[in-house]
Amino acid sequence: MNLSIIILAAGQGKRMYSDLPKVLHLLADKPLVSHVIDTALTLQPKDIYLVYGHGGDQVRAALPNAPVQWVAQTPQLGTGHAVAQAMPHIAEEALVLVLYGDVPLINSMTLKNLCAQADTNRLALLTVTLDNPTGYGRIVRNAQGHVERIVEEKDADSLQKQIKEVNTGILVAPATRLRRWLTLLNNQNAQGEYYLTDIIALAVQEQVTIETAIPNHLHEVMGVNDRLQLATLERYYQLQQVQRLMLNGVTVRDQARLDLRGTIQTGRDVTIDVNVILEGNITLGNRVKIGPHTVIRNAQIGDDVEIFANCVIEDVIIGHHSRIGPFARLRPETVLAEHVHIGNFVEIKKSTVANHSKINHLSYIGDTEVGQEVNIGAGTITCNYDGANKHKTIIGDRAFIGSDTQLVAPVKVGAGATIGAGATITQDTPPEALTLSRVKQQTVFGWQRPKKKKN
Ligand code: UD1
Ligand code: MG
């Protein structure tokens, strides 16, 4: 049977106390609902419907390319009413899987197993048993252990409240029957809502079998209602990811002090020290070492690269055998070739550095092409901005730039040129020659320092 997935995301999320709709809050830098959509896609459904309401325009605007059909639910009259809004679009012969936009960590295998238990005459329900079931719908079973119905917390009597098996909200039902059941719902209950959960009793009346399954881990079915729950799921998710990395051969010095907020590919024998944040798309080659307290976002890092402590690196390509930091900042559109050394308090922006070149201390290099085997002395600055426009600096192969040099762009330093320390270079310098721009040193003998006046 074809699978259609409905993701419920119309609820308000009051307890977030936020102007941002709940499902747009981030877990590992990705909106909650995007986690659900990505997992939904792994089931290869025919279609996905996203039921939106509160802050709906904001949700649509934030996810312009989401591979979903948008279904508005206004007003929000309950989970049954929410599912009903999507049903007109769904084919007769489909199986319908209901997911929640604020339950981000539901697992693909759990859902596949659940779907496998549903067909035209069977409904599959994902349940969990909780020590403290307060707030959840309770699974009411008969003497034979068959599910009879679900009772919401607010409608439950004291005996039903003792039931510890609860409804996760996630279920799979055949579309034809589901469509009919939804038309039979009423809102005569404690919350005055159309409960999706009331379809269970209707299914039982029709001799439809209610199958149940449980998730592998409780976190899979935990919803986000407040920022504390969001943080709990973030920690769980991070630990899962980091442990997966470790099992794939990466040495992580402390599994609680690495955060992955994106996707990562790693070579063999990579080592990552404590307090590292990796964001976006990251590729780490073989034997890469990342020192402590470093943030890297969108980077392709070659084999045998070592990044020392306290670096900030974004949108950068780093070639094999290069060494970065400590305390280096590599900004977007920087491409370092192989065996490049970037040292402490060096900032590089939108520049290329060719093989075996070194920029080891206290420099700013922006909008620059650095050739091979160049040595840039401490405190060298490219003056790339004139207050209105950016200009390029081009430094030829084997150039040696003395310390504390200002390269006023646009400017070219010839191949093999030497620039004496303390120069202000405003014109292109010829290759293989020494260029100086320096006031001649003089000494005044017998000079007396001023003395403090006496009152
Ligand atoms: C629901 C279940 C309950 C289950 C619990 C698990 C019902 C009636 N109850 O209760 O059995 O134990 O989830 O967390 O289904 N939503 C809409 N439109 C609406 C109402 C809700 O899209 O009109 C969405 C919400 O955004 C949320 C989800 O449906 O993602 C669940 O809604 P919520 O109000 O949290 O349901 P509960 O009362 O917790
Ligand atoms: Mg509710």
Side-chain angles (χ1 to χ4, degrees), residues 11 27 56 72 86 133 161 195 207 209 216 244 275 293 326 336 342 344 350 356 374 396 400 446:
L27 190 143
K161 280 189 181 152
Y195 291 164
Q207 264 90 50
T209 312
N216 282 323
R244 203 176 313 134
N275 291 339
H293 317 294
L336 308 182
I342 306 296
N344 41 249
K350 201 176 182 179
H356 294 280
V374 169
F400 180 98

PDB file of all heavy atoms in Angstrom, residues 11 27 56 72 86 133 161 195 207 209 216 244 275 293 326 336 342 344 350 356 374 396 400 446:
ATOM      1  N   GLY A  11      -0.277  23.263  16.491  1.00  0.00           N
ATOM      2  CA  GLY A  11      -0.386  23.703  17.889  1.00  0.00           C
ATOM      3  C   GLY A  11       0.467  24.930  18.162  1.00  0.00           C
ATOM      4  O   GLY A  11       1.372  25.270  17.406  1.00  0.00           O
ATOM      5  N   LEU A  27      16.996  22.108  16.901  1.00  0.00           N
ATOM      6  CA  LEU A  27      17.689  21.017  17.581  1.00  0.00           C
ATOM      7  C   LEU A  27      18.880  20.694  16.685  1.00  0.00           C
ATOM      8  O   LEU A  27      18.698  20.425  15.495  1.00  0.00           O
ATOM      9  CB  LEU A  27      16.755  19.818  17.725  1.00  0.00           C
ATOM     10  CG  LEU A  27      17.259  18.689  18.609  1.00  0.00           C
ATOM     11  CD1 LEU A  27      16.118  18.070  19.391  1.00  0.00           C
ATOM     12  CD2 LEU A  27      17.983  17.634  17.821  1.00  0.00           C
ATOM     13  N   GLY A  56       1.676  29.977  11.107  1.00  0.00           N
ATOM     14  CA  GLY A  56       1.808  29.186   9.879  1.00  0.00           C
ATOM     15  C   GLY A  56       2.616  29.875   8.796  1.00  0.00           C
ATOM     16  O   GLY A  56       3.441  29.247   8.137  1.00  0.00           O
ATOM     17  N   ALA A  72      -3.599  23.998   5.794  1.00  0.00           N
ATOM     18  CA  ALA A  72      -3.901  24.921   6.896  1.00  0.00           C
ATOM     19  C   ALA A  72      -4.983  24.334   7.789  1.00  0.00           C
ATOM     20  O   ALA A  72      -5.917  23.690   7.314  1.00  0.00           O
ATOM     21  CB  ALA A  72      -4.358  26.262   6.330  1.00  0.00           C
ATOM     22  N   ALA A  86      -6.200  17.109   6.190  1.00  0.00           N
ATOM     23  CA  ALA A  86      -5.335  16.565   5.129  1.00  0.00           C
ATOM     24  C   ALA A  86      -6.021  15.466   4.337  1.00  0.00           C
ATOM     25  O   ALA A  86      -5.632  15.181   3.199  1.00  0.00           O
ATOM     26  CB  ALA A  86      -4.037  16.040   5.742  1.00  0.00           C
ATOM     27  N   PRO A 133       2.839   8.569  33.932  1.00  0.00           N
ATOM     28  CA  PRO A 133       2.103   8.758  32.667  1.00  0.00           C
ATOM     29  C   PRO A 133       1.273  10.039  32.623  1.00  0.00           C
ATOM     30  O   PRO A 133       0.548  10.261  31.655  1.00  0.00           O
ATOM     31  CB  PRO A 133       1.180   7.531  32.648  1.00  0.00           C
ATOM     32  CG  PRO A 133       0.922   7.222  34.085  1.00  0.00           C
ATOM     33  CD  PRO A 133       2.136   7.652  34.859  1.00  0.00           C
ATOM     34  N   LYS A 161      -6.412   6.461  35.232  1.00  0.00           N
ATOM     35  CA  LYS A 161      -5.205   7.275  35.419  1.00  0.00           C
ATOM     36  C   LYS A 161      -4.030   6.442  35.892  1.00  0.00           C
ATOM     37  O   LYS A 161      -2.877   6.848  35.758  1.00  0.00           O
ATOM     38  CB  LYS A 161      -5.484   8.421  36.398  1.00  0.00           C
ATOM     39  CG  LYS A 161      -6.195   9.590  35.726  1.00  0.00           C
ATOM     40  CD  LYS A 161      -6.271  10.799  36.619  1.00  0.00           C
ATOM     41  CE  LYS A 161      -7.016  11.910  35.884  1.00  0.00           C
ATOM     42  NZ  LYS A 161      -7.712  12.825  36.780  1.00  0.00           N
ATOM     43  N   TYR A 195     -10.819  14.585  19.153  1.00  0.00           N
ATOM     44  CA  TYR A 195      -9.646  13.767  19.470  1.00  0.00           C
ATOM     45  C   TYR A 195      -9.368  12.742  18.377  1.00  0.00           C
ATOM     46  O   TYR A 195     -10.251  11.920  18.070  1.00  0.00           O
ATOM     47  CB  TYR A 195      -9.883  12.973  20.762  1.00  0.00           C
ATOM     48  CG  TYR A 195      -9.946  13.736  22.063  1.00  0.00           C
ATOM     49  CD1 TYR A 195     -10.499  13.098  23.186  1.00  0.00           C
ATOM     50  CD2 TYR A 195      -9.445  15.023  22.202  1.00  0.00           C
ATOM     51  CE1 TYR A 195     -10.559  13.742  24.413  1.00  0.00           C
ATOM     52  CE2 TYR A 195      -9.506  15.668  23.437  1.00  0.00           C
ATOM     53  CZ  TYR A 195     -10.067  15.032  24.538  1.00  0.00           C
ATOM     54  OH  TYR A 195     -10.134  15.649  25.756  1.00  0.00           O
ATOM     55  N   GLN A 207     -14.238  -4.259  14.135  1.00  0.00           N
ATOM     56  CA  GLN A 207     -13.384  -5.449  14.150  1.00  0.00           C
ATOM     57  C   GLN A 207     -12.017  -5.231  13.489  1.00  0.00           C
ATOM     58  O   GLN A 207     -11.402  -6.163  12.993  1.00  0.00           O
ATOM     59  CB  GLN A 207     -14.073  -6.661  13.476  1.00  0.00           C
ATOM     60  CG  GLN A 207     -14.766  -7.586  14.447  1.00  0.00           C
ATOM     61  CD  GLN A 207     -16.205  -7.159  14.670  1.00  0.00           C
ATOM     62  OE1 GLN A 207     -16.946  -6.937  13.711  1.00  0.00           O
ATOM     63  NE2 GLN A 207     -16.582  -7.014  15.922  1.00  0.00           N
ATOM     64  N   THR A 209      -8.229  -4.761  13.843  1.00  0.00           N
ATOM     65  CA  THR A 209      -7.273  -5.130  14.896  1.00  0.00           C
ATOM     66  C   THR A 209      -6.396  -3.932  15.236  1.00  0.00           C
ATOM     67  O   THR A 209      -5.921  -3.232  14.343  1.00  0.00           O
ATOM     68  CB  THR A 209      -6.359  -6.279  14.410  1.00  0.00           C
ATOM     69  OG1 THR A 209      -7.193  -7.278  13.843  1.00  0.00           O
ATOM     70  CG2 THR A 209      -5.527  -6.850  15.540  1.00  0.00           C
ATOM     71  N   ASN A 216      12.414   1.986  20.235  1.00  0.00           N
ATOM     72  CA  ASN A 216      13.628   1.454  20.856  1.00  0.00           C
ATOM     73  C   ASN A 216      14.072   2.299  22.033  1.00  0.00           C
ATOM     74  O   ASN A 216      14.684   1.798  22.958  1.00  0.00           O
ATOM     75  CB  ASN A 216      14.770   1.401  19.850  1.00  0.00           C
ATOM     76  CG  ASN A 216      14.606   0.215  18.931  1.00  0.00           C
ATOM     77  OD1 ASN A 216      14.172  -0.847  19.362  1.00  0.00           O
ATOM     78  ND2 ASN A 216      14.909   0.418  17.659  1.00  0.00           N
ATOM     79  N   ARG A 244      28.201   7.620  17.673  1.00  0.00           N
ATOM     80  CA  ARG A 244      28.265   7.028  16.331  1.00  0.00           C
ATOM     81  C   ARG A 244      29.627   7.362  15.696  1.00  0.00           C
ATOM     82  O   ARG A 244      30.270   6.519  15.089  1.00  0.00           O
ATOM     83  CB  ARG A 244      27.111   7.557  15.465  1.00  0.00           C
ATOM     84  CG  ARG A 244      26.753   6.637  14.304  1.00  0.00           C
ATOM     85  CD  ARG A 244      25.546   7.141  13.525  1.00  0.00           C
ATOM     86  NE  ARG A 244      24.443   7.529  14.392  1.00  0.00           N
ATOM     87  CZ  ARG A 244      23.741   8.648  14.258  1.00  0.00           C
ATOM     88  NH1 ARG A 244      24.014   9.508  13.286  1.00  0.00           N
ATOM     89  NH2 ARG A 244      22.759   8.927  15.088  1.00  0.00           N
ATOM     90  N   ASN A 275      35.383  20.561  23.897  1.00  0.00           N
ATOM     91  CA  ASN A 275      34.735  21.838  23.601  1.00  0.00           C
ATOM     92  C   ASN A 275      34.894  22.259  22.149  1.00  0.00           C
ATOM     93  O   ASN A 275      35.305  23.378  21.849  1.00  0.00           O
ATOM     94  CB  ASN A 275      35.245  22.945  24.520  1.00  0.00           C
ATOM     95  CG  ASN A 275      34.789  22.716  25.952  1.00  0.00           C
ATOM     96  OD1 ASN A 275      33.818  22.005  26.178  1.00  0.00           O
ATOM     97  ND2 ASN A 275      35.497  23.292  26.892  1.00  0.00           N
ATOM     98  N   HIS A 293      38.426  23.836  22.198  1.00  0.00           N
ATOM     99  CA  HIS A 293      37.791  25.165  22.101  1.00  0.00           C
ATOM    100  C   HIS A 293      37.814  25.730  20.684  1.00  0.00           C
ATOM    101  O   HIS A 293      38.235  26.854  20.462  1.00  0.00           O
ATOM    102  CB  HIS A 293      38.466  26.166  23.048  1.00  0.00           C
ATOM    103  CG  HIS A 293      38.765  25.598  24.391  1.00  0.00           C
ATOM    104  ND1 HIS A 293      37.792  25.211  25.264  1.00  0.00           N
ATOM    105  CD2 HIS A 293      39.943  25.308  24.983  1.00  0.00           C
ATOM    106  CE1 HIS A 293      38.344  24.726  26.350  1.00  0.00           C
ATOM    107  NE2 HIS A 293      39.642  24.757  26.216  1.00  0.00           N
ATOM    108  N   PRO A 326      47.502  28.038  17.285  1.00  0.00           N
ATOM    109  CA  PRO A 326      46.291  28.359  18.060  1.00  0.00           C
ATOM    110  C   PRO A 326      45.811  29.791  17.812  1.00  0.00           C
ATOM    111  O   PRO A 326      46.548  30.600  17.294  1.00  0.00           O
ATOM    112  CB  PRO A 326      46.757  28.185  19.508  1.00  0.00           C
ATOM    113  CG  PRO A 326      48.240  28.430  19.458  1.00  0.00           C
ATOM    114  CD  PRO A 326      48.683  27.894  18.137  1.00  0.00           C
ATOM    115  N   LEU A 336      43.218  27.261   1.525  1.00  0.00           N
ATOM    116  CA  LEU A 336      44.624  27.037   1.834  1.00  0.00           C
ATOM    117  C   LEU A 336      45.059  25.771   1.096  1.00  0.00           C
ATOM    118  O   LEU A 336      44.375  24.751   1.158  1.00  0.00           O
ATOM    119  CB  LEU A 336      44.816  26.841   3.343  1.00  0.00           C
ATOM    120  CG  LEU A 336      44.202  27.919   4.258  1.00  0.00           C
ATOM    121  CD1 LEU A 336      44.519  27.612   5.723  1.00  0.00           C
ATOM    122  CD2 LEU A 336      44.713  29.313   3.884  1.00  0.00           C
ATOM    123  N   ILE A 342      49.306  28.591   9.395  1.00  0.00           N
ATOM    124  CA  ILE A 342      48.650  29.822   9.845  1.00  0.00           C
ATOM    125  C   ILE A 342      48.763  29.840  11.362  1.00  0.00           C
ATOM    126  O   ILE A 342      48.302  28.916  12.027  1.00  0.00           O
ATOM    127  CB  ILE A 342      47.154  29.838   9.454  1.00  0.00           C
ATOM    128  CG1 ILE A 342      46.969  29.611   7.946  1.00  0.00           C
ATOM    129  CG2 ILE A 342      46.490  31.135   9.927  1.00  0.00           C
ATOM    130  CD1 ILE A 342      47.541  30.681   7.065  1.00  0.00           C
ATOM    131  N   ASN A 344      49.185  32.077  15.354  1.00  0.00           N
ATOM    132  CA  ASN A 344      48.308  32.724  16.330  1.00  0.00           C
ATOM    133  C   ASN A 344      47.945  34.156  15.949  1.00  0.00           C
ATOM    134  O   ASN A 344      48.730  34.886  15.380  1.00  0.00           O
ATOM    135  CB  ASN A 344      48.916  32.704  17.730  1.00  0.00           C
ATOM    136  CG  ASN A 344      50.397  32.988  17.708  1.00  0.00           C
ATOM    137  OD1 ASN A 344      51.193  32.114  17.986  1.00  0.00           O
ATOM    138  ND2 ASN A 344      50.755  34.203  17.330  1.00  0.00           N
ATOM    139  N   LYS A 350      38.669  35.537   2.538  1.00  0.00           N
ATOM    140  CA  LYS A 350      38.527  35.519   1.082  1.00  0.00           C
ATOM    141  C   LYS A 350      39.891  35.573   0.387  1.00  0.00           C
ATOM    142  O   LYS A 350      40.158  36.469  -0.411  1.00  0.00           O
ATOM    143  CB  LYS A 350      37.661  36.701   0.652  1.00  0.00           C
ATOM    144  CG  LYS A 350      37.020  36.525  -0.718  1.00  0.00           C
ATOM    145  CD  LYS A 350      36.101  37.679  -1.027  1.00  0.00           C
ATOM    146  CE  LYS A 350      35.420  37.496  -2.372  1.00  0.00           C
ATOM    147  NZ  LYS A 350      34.512  38.588  -2.667  1.00  0.00           N
ATOM    148  N   HIS A 356      53.070  25.465   1.014  1.00  0.00           N
ATOM    149  CA  HIS A 356      54.263  25.766   1.808  1.00  0.00           C
ATOM    150  C   HIS A 356      54.397  27.233   2.206  1.00  0.00           C
ATOM    151  O   HIS A 356      55.507  27.691   2.490  1.00  0.00           O
ATOM    152  CB  HIS A 356      55.537  25.323   1.064  1.00  0.00           C
ATOM    153  CG  HIS A 356      55.622  23.840   0.897  1.00  0.00           C
ATOM    154  ND1 HIS A 356      56.053  23.006   1.910  1.00  0.00           N
ATOM    155  CD2 HIS A 356      55.316  23.041  -0.152  1.00  0.00           C
ATOM    156  CE1 HIS A 356      56.016  21.749   1.473  1.00  0.00           C
ATOM    157  NE2 HIS A 356      55.573  21.733   0.226  1.00  0.00           N
ATOM    158  N   VAL A 374      55.755  31.430   0.383  1.00  0.00           N
ATOM    159  CA  VAL A 374      55.792  32.825   0.833  1.00  0.00           C
ATOM    160  C   VAL A 374      55.913  32.830   2.358  1.00  0.00           C
ATOM    161  O   VAL A 374      55.361  31.974   3.030  1.00  0.00           O
ATOM    162  CB  VAL A 374      54.499  33.552   0.397  1.00  0.00           C
ATOM    163  CG1 VAL A 374      54.368  34.915   1.074  1.00  0.00           C
ATOM    164  CG2 VAL A 374      54.463  33.685  -1.123  1.00  0.00           C
ATOM    165  N   GLY A 396      53.582  37.238  -4.926  1.00  0.00           N
ATOM    166  CA  GLY A 396      54.181  36.215  -5.790  1.00  0.00           C
ATOM    167  C   GLY A 396      54.870  35.111  -4.990  1.00  0.00           C
ATOM    168  O   GLY A 396      55.120  35.241  -3.784  1.00  0.00           O
ATOM    169  N   PHE A 400      59.101  37.374   0.525  1.00  0.00           N
ATOM    170  CA  PHE A 400      59.327  37.441   1.966  1.00  0.00           C
ATOM    171  C   PHE A 400      58.849  38.814   2.423  1.00  0.00           C
ATOM    172  O   PHE A 400      59.401  39.844   2.004  1.00  0.00           O
ATOM    173  CB  PHE A 400      60.818  37.260   2.272  1.00  0.00           C
ATOM    174  CG  PHE A 400      61.130  37.305   3.736  1.00  0.00           C
ATOM    175  CD1 PHE A 400      61.289  36.123   4.470  1.00  0.00           C
ATOM    176  CD2 PHE A 400      61.257  38.525   4.404  1.00  0.00           C
ATOM    177  CE1 PHE A 400      61.569  36.168   5.831  1.00  0.00           C
ATOM    178  CE2 PHE A 400      61.540  38.573   5.764  1.00  0.00           C
ATOM    179  CZ  PHE A 400      61.691  37.385   6.472  1.00  0.00           C
ATOM    180  N   GLY A 446      73.817  62.550  23.860  1.00  0.00           N
ATOM    181  CA  GLY A 446      73.767  63.559  24.910  1.00  0.00           C
ATOM    182  C   GLY A 446      72.383  64.117  25.151  1.00  0.00           C
ATOM    183  O   GLY A 446      72.208  65.136  25.818  1.00  0.00           O
TER     184      GLY A 446
END
